[in-house]
C-alpha cells in the first residue's frame, strides 16, 4: 500500500488565521481525499482532490473555507481558512487506487487546535 | 442522520478471548463494508472488508460477518491480543468503484493482559 505523510502533524492556531496542510504520497495515485474527524465523531469526507481541476466538495463544505490544491498525482494541500474553535479537528488525507475496490489508505493525520 | 452506527463506544476483553465489534447500517444501497483500526496519533489502517454478495470473510484472526436482512455486520477477533487495543471504525460504500465511504463513530477496544 502507498506510504502517506502529512505536514504538520499538529498545530495550535489563533482564531481568524489560516493553516495549510500538506499530503505527500510515495507513489502516483488516482484518487486523493480529505477527511475531518471532530472530537468524538466519525470521519467525514470534506472533498475529493482532483488533479488538474477544482476539488469536488461534499455537502456542508465549501471551497472558500477549505481550498484544496492537487498539482500532481502524489501531492495535495488542504487549507483551513479563517479558523474558529469549531474547526478544531483531526484532518486526514487518504488515497485510493482504482484497482483496489473502495479500500482507502490514510495518512497519519494533522491535529488542529484553534484557540 | 447516521447511516452507519456503532452503538458501543467501548469494549473490554480479556487476552485470548473473542472480541466482537458490531455495526449497523440504514442505507440499503450500501454494498461494500470495511473495517479500519486506528491507534492514537496515527491514521486509520485498513483491516478487512466484505462485499454484499458474501456473508463472511476471514483473514487470520479477523472475521467479518454480514447479515444483509438485518443490516448488521460484526468483526470477530480471535484470539484477542493486547496489540489489538485500538479504535475500530466500520465503513460502508454504495456502488462498484464508489469512493465515498460513510464511517461509524468507532468502538474503542481494550484487550486486557
Amino acid at each position: 500500500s502507498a506510504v502517506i505523510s502529512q505536514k504538520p502533524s499538529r498545530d495550535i492556531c489563533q482564531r481568524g488565521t489560516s493553516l495549510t496542510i500538506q499530503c505527500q504520497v510515495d507513489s502516483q495515485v488516482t484518487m486523493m481525499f480529505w477527511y475531518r474527524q471532530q472530537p468524538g465523531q466519525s470521519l467525514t469526507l470534506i472533498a475529493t482532490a482532483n488533479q488538474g481541476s477544482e476539488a469536488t466538495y461534499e455537502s456542508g463544505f465549501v471551497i472558500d473555507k477549505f481550498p484544496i490544491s492537487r498539482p500532481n498525482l502524489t501531492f495535495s494541500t488542504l487549507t483551513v481558512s479563517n479558523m474558529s474553535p469549531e474547526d478544531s479537528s483531526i484532518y486526514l488525507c487518504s488515497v485510493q487506487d482504482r484497482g483496489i475496490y473502495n479500500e482507502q489508505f490514510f495518512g497519519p493525520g494533522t491535529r488542529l487546535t484553534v484557540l | 442522520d447516521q447511516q452507519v452506527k456503532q452503538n458501543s463506544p467501548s469494549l473490554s476483553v480479556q487476552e485470548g478471548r473473542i472480541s466482537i465489534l458490531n455495526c449497523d447500517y440504514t442505507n440499503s444501497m450500501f454494498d461494500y463494508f470495511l473495517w479500519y483500526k486506528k491507534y492514537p496519533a496515527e491514521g486509520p489502517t485498513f483491516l478487512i472488508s466484505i462485499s454484499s454478495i458474501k456473508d463472511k470473510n476471514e483473514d487470520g484472526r479477523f472475521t467479518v460477518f454480514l447479515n444483509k436482512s438485518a443490516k448488521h455486520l460484526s468483526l470477530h477477533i480471535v484470539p484477542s491480543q493486547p496489540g489489538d487495543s485500538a479504535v475500530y471504525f466500520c465503513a460502508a460504500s454504495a456502488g462498484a468503484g464508489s469512493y465515498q465511504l460513510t464511517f461509524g463513530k468507532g468502538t474503542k477496544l481494550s484487550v486486557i493482559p
Side-chain angles (χ1 to χ4, degrees), chain A residues 36-89:
Chain A
R36 178 175 75 180
Q37 185 186 12
Q38 294 177 302
Q41 301 299 312
S42 59
L43 282 75
T44 301
L45 180 64
I46 297 172
T48 303
N50 300 309
Q51 194 260 330
S53 64
E54 197 170 282
T56 305
Y57 290 85
E58 299 300 310
S59 175
F61 298 97
V62 294
I63 187 171
D64 290 345
K65 177 67 176 176
F66 298 102
I68 288 170
S69 78
R70 188 169 176 198
N72 55 53
L73 293 176
T74 64
F75 185 79
S76 177
T77 66
L78 168 75
T79 299
V80 186
S81 303
N82 189 25
M83 288 183 284
S84 66
E86 292 72 34
D87 294 320
S88 298
S89 296

Side-chain angles (χ1 to χ4, degrees), chain A residues 31 33 35 37 40-43 45 48 56 58 90 92 96 98 101-108, chain B residues 2 31-32 34 36 38 41-44 46 49 89 93 95-101 103-105:
Chain A
M31 310 287 284
F33 310 94
Y35 284 82
Q37 185 186 12
Q41 301 299 312
S42 59
L43 282 75
L45 180 64
T48 303
T56 305
E58 299 300 310
I90 298 173
L92 300 120
Q96 178 179 321
R98 287 203 182 275
Y101 187 88
N102 290 18
E103 292 164 9
Q104 293 182 18
F105 300 91
F106 287 82
Chain B
Q2 266 210 297
D31 61 356
Y32 196 76
L34 308 91
Y36 284 84
K38 186 181 184 301
E42 295 183 13
F46 170 73
S49 62
F89 290 96
S93 70
S98 170
Y99 59 82
Q100 199 152 17
L101 295 180
F103 284 85
K105 290 187 177 182

